[in-house]
Amino acid sequence: MKNRLRVLRAEKAWSQADLADQLGVSRQTVNAIEVEKYDPSLPLAFKIARLFALPIEQVFQDEENPAAKAAE
Amino acid sequence: MSTTPEFRAPSRKMKIWHWYFVFAFLAGGVYGVASSLGYAWHDLPAPVILVATFAMVAAAMTCTVLWMRDIDELARQAHYVAWFWGGSFALCILLCLVLAAPALPGLIDFASLEREFAPFAGDGGGFIAGVTASLVVLSIGYGAWWLVFWLRKR
C-alpha cells in the first residue's frame, strides 16, 4: 500500500523518532511504513491520519483501487 | 519538536530485559557452581525439580506476556510471523529427518543422544532427546526467521 507519510512528516519537520514518539511505536516501525515494507494495522493507520488531521485515504492509497490509480 | 536528548525512565520492556539477564546469569552461575560440586539437576528430589520447573516456566510466561504487550505492532508481527513460518519450516525439516531416518542410518547418532539424555529419564532418554531436539530446532527456525524479518523490515 502506498502512503505519503514521509512527505507529511517532512512538512511538519519531524524526525522519524518524533513521529514514532507521538504514535507510540518504534522508529523502525515508522521507517518500515514510510518505505512501504510494512502496512500498519487499521488502528495505527487511523492514528496516523488523526495526527496529521487528514482523512485516512489522503495518507494511504489503495493500489488495487482504480479510482486511486487514476487520481495519481 | 525538541531535538535535544531527554532523560527517559526505563520502560517496562527494558526492566523485563534487565531482570531476565540478571536472573539468567544467576541461574547459570548457580547451575555451574552446583555442577562443579557434583550436584546434578536430575539428582535433586522430585518435589524440588517440579516446583523449580513450574516456577521458572511461570516466570518466563509472565515476562513473555508483559513483553508482548509492551512491544509495538511491527515487533509483534515479527514474532507472529517467525513463530508460524520459522517454526513450521523447522518442524518440517524435523519431520523429514524422522521419516527418512530408516534410510539414513549414519546421519544421526541416535544411540549417543539417548545415552546423553538417559540420566534425565532412564529408558525414556530417547523420548526426551527427541523433545529437546524439537525445541532446539524450533527455536533455531524461529530465531532465524525473526532475524531475517527484522533486518528486512527495519
Side-chain angles (χ1 to χ4, degrees):
Chain A
M1 185 173 287
K2 287 193 169 299
N3 69 75
R4 296 177 53 232
L5 193 55
R6 189 183 289 271
V7 174
L8 295 170
R9 178 174 63 75
E11 283 172 2
K12 300 265 187 189
W14 290 344
S15 67
Q16 287 186 339
D18 294 331
L19 179 57
D21 274 352
Q22 295 184 74
L23 295 171
V25 298
S26 64
R27 191 199 57 77
Q28 285 86 352
T29 298
V30 168
N31 185 60
I33 296 170
E34 281 188 3
V35 298
E36 293 166 4
K37 284 185 177 176
Y38 174 67
D39 290 334
S41 66
L42 266 179
L44 181 56
F46 275 107
K47 201 171 180 181
I48 292 168
R50 211 163 40 239
L51 184 64
F52 289 103
L54 289 170
I56 196 164
E57 61 271 24
Q58 284 189 25
V59 183
F60 298 95
Q61 285 90 40
D62 179 10
E63 290 172 279
E64 303 292 318
N65 181 357
K69 272 186 184 170
E72 278 178 17
Chain B
M1 282 288 131
S2 142
T3 52
T4 51
E6 295 169 15
F7 171 77
R8 290 183 187 177
S11 64
R12 187 169 69 173
K13 187 170 75 176
M14 291 314 295
K15 286 180 189 164
I16 293 170
W17 257 131
H18 295 160
W19 281 109
Y20 176 82
F21 275 109
V22 167
F23 179 78
F25 276 112
L26 280 178
V30 168
Y31 190 85
V33 170
S35 298
S36 69
L37 294 174
Y39 296 103
W41 172 253
H42 52 267
D43 289 336
L44 291 171
V48 174
I49 291 179
L50 285 175
V51 169
T53 299
F54 282 104
M56 281 191 290
V57 172
M61 284 304 297
T62 305
C63 285
T64 303
V65 170
L66 294 174
W67 173 267
M68 283 296 271
R69 281 184 185 167
D70 256 27
I71 59 180
D72 77 346
E73 62 176 58
L74 178 60
R76 209 174 292 143
Q77 177 82 355
H79 287 295
Y80 291 154
V81 170
W83 183 250
F84 183 80
W85 288 111
S88 298
F89 268 87
L91 289 179
C92 282
I93 291 168
L94 267 186
L95 182 64
C96 289
L97 280 179
V98 168
L99 294 176
L104 306 163
L107 186 67
I108 302 170
D109 186 359
F110 290 107
S112 76
L113 271 177
E114 283 184 27
R115 275 197 303 279
E116 192 70 31
F117 285 89
F120 288 94
D123 291 339
F127 174 75
I128 298 297
V131 172
T132 307
S134 303
L135 288 173
V136 169
V137 173
L138 190 68
S139 302
I140 292 171
Y142 170 60
W145 206 282
W146 177 86
L147 188 65
V148 171
F149 182 100
W150 195 244
L151 290 177
R152 287 185 65 196
K153 297 281 184 187
R154 69 198 293 270

